[in-house]
Amino acid sequence: MTESTTPDATMATSAATSAFRERIARADAQAEEHAAARQHPKGKHTARERIAMLLDADSFLEIGRYSGSGAGEGARPSGVVTGFGQIGGRQVAVYSQDFSVSGGALGTVEGDKIVRLLDDAMRLSIPVIGLIDSGGAKIQEGVAALRQYGRIFNRTCAASGLVPQISVIMGPCAGGAVYSPALTDFVIATREASHMFVTGPDVVRAVTGERISAEELGGADIHGSVTGVVHYVAEDEDDALDQVRTLLAYLPSSSDQEAPRYAYEDADRATDRDAAAQVGSLVPASPRQPYDVTAVVSAVVDHGELVQVQEDFAANVVVGFACFEGRPVGVVANQPLVDAGTLDVDASEKLARFVRFCDAFGLPVVTFVDVPGYRPGAEQEHAGIIRRGAKVINAYASATVPLVTVVLRKAYGGAYIVMGSKAIGADLNFCWPGAEIAVLGAQGAVGIIHRRDLQQVREEAGEQAAAAEQQRLVDEYTQTVINPDKAVAIGEIDAVIAPEDTRTVIVDSLAALAEKRDERRTPYRKHDNGPL
């Protein structure tokens, strides 16, 4: 009689269970030891260590650990770890590619696991975090591996706008694999270890003869500051995973849920009110003098905390997340410290995609405007500023979340229109005293309107007299045209506010708009056809 059939035998003590424990413990220990030997010398963590670092302690439920091999004598892990866990007590779906298993290459088994996870995340309405570290597709599987990338792309697109998706690049990501993270909402990359490119240095050299390193071609810094593919460049893996947790703290778990609301005490209110009272001293009165708009935003948001997105890319605009009395919002601001805060092709795309993200997930958008216009020049025109700048119009005009706009010093021409103006769809618009809102600044307008008059003065009375006349005309134009009175009179500006009241006005505006819903009745359409 075998042990399993003895009268006192239980499933806990059966030979099958005992053998299973030993077999799995041995397989797991060998796999993790092998992974550590591959990853640790490079300063990288294993796939499971990364998940443990990301999630709340002891919250990970792994799914499909031995998919492809079974749990018998041949048990072995696949090239990706998938499952569910919690971050700050909120449920998330996570997958982590295991570079120690065939270089993390994606094949049928790995693709099936990721696709299932994405399907489950949509069904459960929870965020998805992908930890990327893979050499690409399994060459030996041919089109079957390529098929899996297509299926992942399909599910990623299906999940877009339904649940937040965050990709963390912790190693190589090349070929078709780069499009999977590129389709997600946020891409975080470690500075030293990560690389992203469609064709690697060897292919580039073979086809074009150009010699370039992986870092120069597709390193984190390149994608963080030049291409805009990466939203946050992390110093190391710990920093990268911290950023994931930080982002999720401002986001809802899905598009049909609200973002977390945080406790906000009277002591916090008093501290933030005192900080906000000083905001006017941070901005020079001269519209031509630069300043750091992030200091302005920090002065008026809760605890001075602004989490920037794409900080190193298109730095002439600032986008990011903050809170007002415990409520998360998206923040958009022109940055006079960089290129005078002008809008260009990169800034337009950065701004537009961020506004669309906030709209998809129900986050109000607060816009701080100090913009002289679009950056002039043939380079911008030939780069498609018309088409790409129009994306900002589409983003604001189609947004249904609360939109609050504050003009700090100036807003000229088309740039005024697109930066959350009342006409384009903002709910509540304010400006500081003396804000200049016009087609052109006074100097430019006078130079065009009175060009012949000034030329005549110059010819008859000399350069000094012409300069004096020009200054008189500039002062006159400023008083009669570009002050905020006309904008207030026609309802484009709801109120002129003192700088120290900015935080209070924004808080009250968000409270007034808290129940805003999309009530527009439009004929059925599948979607718009904005300028992609």
Side-chain angles (χ1 to χ4, degrees):
M1 181 177 293
T2 65
E3 177 188 348
S4 60
T5 59
T6 57
D8 58 347
T10 66
M11 288 301 293
T13 60
S14 70
T17 299
S18 297
F20 169 79
R21 290 194 190 101
E22 294 176 2
R23 182 172 64 251
I24 294 303
R26 182 173 60 252
D28 289 350
Q30 290 175 347
E32 194 62 14
E33 181 180 343
H34 173 68
R38 290 285 304 274
Q39 296 289 82
H40 289 179
K42 305 173 187 175
K44 299 166 66 175
H45 293 90
T46 69
R48 287 184 171 81
E49 287 173 342
R50 290 166 174 168
I51 290 175
M53 293 162 61
L54 173 67
L55 301 179
D56 296 349
D58 302 319
S59 69
F60 183 54
L61 172 65
E62 186 170 351
I63 302 297
R65 184 163 191 165
Y66 297 106
S67 294
S69 69
E73 289 296 334
R76 65 184 184 278
S78 64
V80 65
V81 180
T82 59
F84 306 98
Q86 294 184 352
I87 295 179
R90 296 165 59 196
Q91 201 71 18
V92 299
V94 60
Y95 69 88
S96 181
Q97 292 180 316
D98 190 345
F99 196 80
S100 70
V101 179
S102 302
L106 184 134
T108 300
V109 171
E110 292 77 16
D112 284 346
K113 291 176 70 173
I114 295 175
V115 166
R116 175 190 170 182
L117 188 78
L118 291 168
D119 285 339
D120 285 343
M122 286 187 280
R123 181 168 54 86
L124 299 171
S125 295
I126 58 177
V128 181
I129 298 102
L131 309 181
I132 312 297
D133 191 358
S134 170
K138 287 186 176 178
I139 298 175
Q140 63 271 31
E141 292 194 22
V143 71
L146 298 178
R147 169 179 178 267
Q148 295 294 51
Y149 278 124
R151 296 178 68 216
I152 293 170
F153 300 163
N154 176 276
R155 299 309 197 280
T156 303
C157 290
S160 181
L162 294 179
V163 296
Q165 300 181 83
I166 302 175
S167 299
V168 187
I169 314 300
M170 296 175 148
C173 184
V178 297
Y179 291 110
S180 181
L183 290 167
T184 62
D185 299 306
F186 301 105
V187 178
I188 299 167
T190 54
R191 190 181 301 278
E192 299 298 333
S194 64
H195 301 103
M196 299 177 71
F197 31 65
V198 175
T199 55
D202 292 341
V203 176
V204 170
R205 184 168 59 253
V207 174
T208 70
E210 180 183 6
R211 294 184 176 274
I212 189 169
S213 69
E215 185 67 28
E216 294 170 322
L217 182 63
D221 286 325
I222 290 295
H223 287 305
S225 61
V226 178
T227 70
V229 171
V230 168
H231 297 79
Y232 180 78
V233 177
E235 293 303 321
D236 52 31
E237 294 188 4
D238 292 278
D239 185 26
L241 299 176
D242 281 344
Q243 184 69 4
V244 174
R245 288 188 288 268
T246 298
L247 284 174
L248 288 177
Y250 291 90
L251 309 181
S253 292
S254 67
S255 60
D256 60 359
Q257 300 180 38
E258 292 189 356
R261 294 293 293 270
Y262 296 101
Y264 194 75
E265 308 296 339
D266 288 341
D268 299 322
R269 187 172 289 106
T271 300
D272 289 335
R273 183 175 59 244
D274 291 343
Q278 307 302 316
V279 67
S281 65
L282 301 174
V283 181
S286 169
R288 293 176 175 273
Q289 189 171 342
Y291 64 93
D292 186 356
V293 79
T294 62
V296 172
V297 175
S298 296
V300 299
V301 301
D302 290 0
H303 315 302
E305 295 178 358
L306 169 65
V307 177
Q308 286 198 56
V309 174
Q310 290 181 299
E311 181 175 358
D312 299 325
F313 175 70
N316 40 332
V317 294
V318 171
V319 301
F321 300 106
C323 287
F324 283 96
E325 296 207 341
R327 179 180 185 177
V329 303
V331 172
V332 173
N334 303 110
Q335 175 57 288
L337 204 60
V338 180
D339 293 331
T342 54
L343 293 179
D344 60 10
V345 292
D346 288 340
S348 296
E349 292 188 336
K350 170 181 173 177
L351 192 161
R353 190 165 191 265
F354 181 77
V355 171
R356 285 182 63 82
F357 173 85
C358 291
D359 187 52
F361 290 99
L363 294 174
V365 177
V366 179
T367 305
F368 296 90
V369 183
D370 195 341
V371 61
Y374 286 93
R375 186 186 301 171
E379 179 186 4
Q380 286 295 303
E381 296 294 345
H382 296 170
I385 188 61
I386 297 173
R387 171 178 56 84
R388 295 161 76 177
K391 298 179 184 184
V392 185
I393 299 174
N394 182 268
Y396 274 106
S398 62
T400 61
V401 294
L403 301 175
V404 179
T405 300
V406 181
V407 179
L408 304 181
R409 293 191 307 186
K410 61 185 180 298
Y412 298 147
Y416 158 73
I417 302 171
V418 306
M419 288 295 300
S421 67
K422 176 64 68 77
I424 208 172
D427 298 293
L428 291 170
N429 294 63
F430 307 94
C431 73
W432 286 2
E436 300 180 357
I437 303 173
V439 176
L440 285 174
Q443 291 282 354
V446 166
I448 294 173
I449 298 171
H450 300 284
R451 178 173 55 86
R452 292 182 179 177
D453 296 334
L454 290 171
Q455 181 61 31
Q456 183 176 348
V457 171
R458 188 175 291 108
E459 292 173 354
E460 295 177 354
E463 198 66 43
Q464 187 173 351
E469 176 64 8
Q470 181 171 6
Q471 187 58 52
R472 186 189 70 78
L473 292 170
V474 166
D475 293 340
E476 180 181 273
Y477 186 88
T478 300
Q479 291 297 319
T480 59
V481 178
I482 68 174
N483 67 68
D485 287 348
K486 182 171 289 188
V488 172
I490 65 174
E492 271 292 293
I493 295 295
D494 292 298
V496 179
I497 61 174
E500 61 270 20
D501 294 330
T502 302
R503 174 179 166 83
T504 299
V505 168
I506 292 173
V507 168
D508 291 345
S509 297
L510 293 173
L513 299 169
E515 299 303 316
K516 179 184 178 183
R517 297 292 182 268
D518 182 13
E519 299 295 338
R520 292 180 294 185
R521 297 288 185 265
T522 58
Y524 170 77
R525 64 177 181 181
K526 292 179 69 175
H527 51 71
D528 66 18
N529 186 34
L532 296 177

